[in-house]
Amino acid sequence: MKQEDKQAAARVLLDMPLFHALMDELEASAVNGCIAAPLKDDEARAAFAAEARAVRNFRSKLKFLAEGQANADGKDAPV
């Protein structure tokens, strides 16, 4: 997939209100699970925190691709 195609696809996703609603719901659910986990259940809190970080990282990656600031594949040499 060409970089331009990736950039266009990322923009399409970011233009969809449903995408943002789903990502907000996933992130809120993970954060609430982290908060509501039993005090002694470190594994559950860590899993929920990792899920929240994954959602945030996905959003960041998508925004980065949409802006087209750099080659996300890392295949091209720097200019």
Side-chain angles (χ1 to χ4, degrees):
M1 184 177 230
K2 293 181 183 177
Q3 185 65 23
E4 296 82 24
D5 296 337
K6 288 180 184 181
Q7 185 177 7
R11 284 183 183 158
V12 167
L13 281 175
L14 289 174
D15 287 342
M16 292 182 173
L18 178 60
F19 172 78
H20 292 288
L22 289 172
M23 290 292 110
D24 290 343
E25 186 177 324
L26 286 172
E27 185 177 352
S29 176
V31 170
N32 288 336
C34 190
I35 292 169
L39 291 175
K40 295 187 179 197
D41 195 353
D42 293 336
E43 289 182 14
R45 275 197 317 278
F48 283 120
E51 185 178 340
R53 280 192 303 275
V55 171
R56 290 175 183 167
N57 288 340
F58 179 72
R59 280 182 170 178
S60 295
K61 174 76 172 186
L62 202 58
K63 287 178 184 176
F64 185 74
L65 283 172
E67 292 170 359
Q69 292 180 353
N71 183 5
D73 289 340
K75 295 178 184 174
D76 292 339
V79 179

